Structures are given as structure tokens and as C-alpha cells.
Amino acid sequence: MRTLTSTVDLDATPRQVWDVLIDGRAHAKWDPFITQLDGTLEVGNKIDVRIAPPGGKPMSFHPTVTHVEPERRLAWLGRFLVPGLFDGAHSFTLEPLPDDRTRLTQSETFRGLLVPFSGRLLQRTEAGFTAMNEALRQRLAERHTA
């Protein structure tokens, strides 16, 4: 098992952050990591996600939404081929901060037989989290000044 986490404090309310995160069609415009997020974000639904890890090949997968709590948490579980081979439980957790700010924690726990052999992919994924968090900060700043 391996968990990757990236946290960023944002100058926006949880509602503002949530609205940008769940606008799947807009990700392609601002997000360098999650370049596609299509589907209905309801527990039990399969969604279409495409990621572009820095320095790696883009990948598409179809995780199942496991948690939706507006303005608080969004999570999904993706699997490679069969359960237990390479599973990734991804989440976005929003924590309200004073002065209408928000702490966003993006996290993914990987489990399965292939995880010990996936070091480079996991490094690139972690770099993707960081790039996405910074792009989200910029996106929110643009929306706030628009």
C-alpha cells in the first residue's frame, strides 16, 4: 500500500472550490493533470477520467464514485483490470479555513500486487497532484477577479 497526498490552502470558499472541482467539462481548460472528468458524480456511478502525469503517458480509466459530500469530499475508486492488481482510491477533501479560505487535500491510496513496481508512475502522479493544486489556485484567482 502507498498513499500520496498534496495539500494547498486556497483563497476561496469551500463552495467556490467545489464548483470548480465538479465542473468536469472545464478541467480540460485549466487542469494539467486531470484533463477529462466526465459523468454524473453520484455514489455508485462510473465516471470517465483521463490524467496526464508530468513526464508520463496520458491514461484513461473508469472509476466508481464512492463518496460525494458537497463542499466537503469527493472520492472514487479506480482499478486496473481486476480488483487487487492495482487499485487507487482517490479523494478531494475540503476543509474550511478562517477568512473564507479553504484547505484542499488531494490524496490517493494505492493497493495491489503491482504497487511495489510502480514507483515512477507514483512519482509522476504525485507531481500531477501538485501541478493540479497550483492550477486550481490560479483558476480560482481568475474566477474571483473576473
Side-chain angles (χ1 to χ4, degrees), residues 61-108:
F61 55 102
H62 310 286
T64 301
V65 177
T66 58
H67 193 104
V68 178
E69 186 178 349
E71 302 177 34
R72 292 281 183 192
R73 189 162 189 265
L74 171 64
W76 61 66
L77 175 63
R79 293 194 158 118
F80 178 68
L81 298 178
V82 296
L85 193 57
F86 190 82
D87 302 342
H90 193 98
S91 66
F92 299 95
T93 304
L94 287 68
E95 176 188 346
L97 297 174
D99 300 321
D100 288 331
R101 300 184 75 230
T102 303
R103 176 167 294 141
L104 172 71
T105 301
Q106 185 175 179
S107 181
E108 189 151 4

Side-chain angles (χ1 to χ4, degrees), residues 4 33 53 108 110 120-129:
L4 307 177
F33 181 60
E108 189 151 4
F110 296 93
R120 186 171 298 214
L121 172 63
L122 298 181
Q123 288 173 342
R124 290 176 173 157
T125 299
E126 192 167 33
F129 288 5

Side-chain angles (χ1 to χ4, degrees), residues 21-57:
L21 278 178
I22 66 166
D23 185 359
R25 294 180 190 256
H27 275 261
K29 296 176 188 170
W30 66 267
D31 190 341
F33 181 60
I34 298 177
T35 58
Q36 177 186 351
L37 178 63
D38 290 331
T40 304
L41 296 173
E42 292 179 3
V43 173
N45 283 1
K46 290 243 184 221
I47 57 175
D48 297 319
V49 177
R50 184 164 180 84
I51 62 170
K57 293 181 182 179

